Amino acid sequence: MKRGDFLKNITLGTLGMVTIKTWANEIEKLTETGLKMPAIFIGHGSPMNAIEQNDFTQTLQNLGQSLIKPKAILCISAHWTTKGTFVDISPNPKMIYDMYGFPKELYQVKYPVKGAPNFASEVTKLITSTKVEKSKDWGLDHGTWSVLKHIYPKADVPTFQLSIDYNQPMQYHYDLAKQLKELRKKGVLIVGSGNITHNLNIVDLHNINAKPRDWTLEFDTKIKKFIDDRDHQAIIDYHKIGSSAKLAVPEPSHYIPLIYTLALQEDKDEIDYFYDKFHYGTLSMRCVKFG
């Protein structure tokens, strides 16, 4: 539920009867008893979005203003791939500058957010299909901090990451992610950060507004239709789409976070494509919110 919708549901009479403190307590209570946080997939694109102001970053800023503040954020980023599944339990996650050849300014970005060790530990209990190892070796990579610094610029929402077991099939990731649904009910915002189409071998790095390639449009359009139709299996089996799939997903790291977000969708969740443009000719920046 958006913050604005929540406010509309509180009558003026009620507001007149309670103190600000009581009202805040009621919001907290509702979060604990069924005011589910949405699940969000963000096409994060270039790391430069962390320091640039454009319509994409403005959209992320607007998103943060529209959401009720979560208790914590769990991010599944395309940039933490592992053998096995790990969850970061660091109380103070470190910044990871996992990108190369960019301006010095980008490597000076700070996002001093706290971790969420308690929620991270809970993940190891919720996921029973595989053993989830606790780790303090990671932190926050740019797939996480480059978008969250716009959504929650005050860095005041505890944040932790779950790794992607890179060699596992899409069905494995989908089934694993379904076990995380309980976190939504506990006030945790779950974010998948990647890109539906991501081919850096065929990209116009000099023009963010480059015309999208035909195969980019084809693949993105088909995935959107599958999302609209709630046809999760077709998205899991994306390789069956054909030649556009081979170009759009030459390797799966940026596609897998969509699978995690998709698995968290529930029957009554509304679908909101809050950004649907393309960058650099081959990057679908499509973002979608469930719930």
Side-chain angles (χ1 to χ4, degrees), residues 36-37 126 174 176-188 190 232 260-267 269:
K36 296 195 303 289
M37 293 302 299
L126 290 174
Y174 183 83
L176 185 151
K178 288 178 74 71
Q179 298 167 73
L180 297 172
K181 285 186 176 182
E182 188 65 24
L183 291 178
R184 291 183 58 192
K185 300 175 184 178
K186 296 185 176 184
V188 178
I190 303 178
H232 293 189
Y260 275 78
T261 310
L262 195 74
L264 295 164
Q265 182 183 17
E266 297 189 351
D267 291 341
D269 282 343

Side-chain angles (χ1 to χ4, degrees), residues 35-195:
L35 187 62
K36 296 195 303 289
M37 293 302 299
I40 298 174
F41 173 76
I42 295 177
H44 66 239
S46 168
M48 290 298 291
N49 286 315
I51 58 176
E52 292 179 345
Q53 288 294 322
N54 51 48
D55 63 340
F56 171 67
T57 60
Q58 183 61 57
T59 296
L60 295 184
Q61 293 161 19
N62 294 341
L63 174 68
Q65 294 169 9
S66 72
L67 295 172
I68 290 177
K69 186 176 177 181
K71 289 185 175 181
I73 298 170
L74 166 58
C75 188
I76 298 93
S77 165
H79 296 278
W80 191 18
T81 58
T82 53
K83 183 177 180 180
T85 302
F86 296 81
V87 65
D88 191 87
I89 61 169
S90 304
N92 298 286
K94 62 185 177 183
M95 293 281 289
I96 299 174
Y97 300 96
D98 53 331
M99 60 278 176
Y100 307 96
F102 289 91
K104 182 179 179 180
E105 181 183 0
L106 186 58
Y107 302 93
Q108 296 173 336
V109 172
K110 302 296 181 185
Y111 193 70
V113 72
K114 296 291 185 181
N118 290 340
F119 279 118
S121 294
E122 188 167 350
V123 165
T124 66
K125 300 173 184 176
L126 290 174
I127 296 175
T128 58
S129 60
T130 190
K131 182 175 178 57
V132 179
E133 301 282 356
K134 297 179 181 179
S135 173
K136 292 184 179 179
D137 296 332
W138 196 244
L140 303 179
D141 58 58
H142 82 264
T144 297
W145 55 258
S146 71
V147 295
L148 291 187
K149 76 176 294 292
H150 295 294
I151 301 174
Y152 295 108
K154 294 181 180 180
D156 55 354
V157 181
T159 300
F160 65 109
Q161 288 193 209
L162 179 70
S163 78
I164 292 171
D165 190 342
Y166 187 76
N167 293 316
Q168 296 291 347
M170 293 295 159
Q171 190 67 54
Y172 170 92
H173 296 293
Y174 183 83
D175 294 341
L176 185 151
K178 288 178 74 71
Q179 298 167 73
L180 297 172
K181 285 186 176 182
E182 188 65 24
L183 291 178
R184 291 183 58 192
K185 300 175 184 178
K186 296 185 176 184
V188 178
L189 175 65
I190 303 178
V191 177
S193 178
N195 288 98

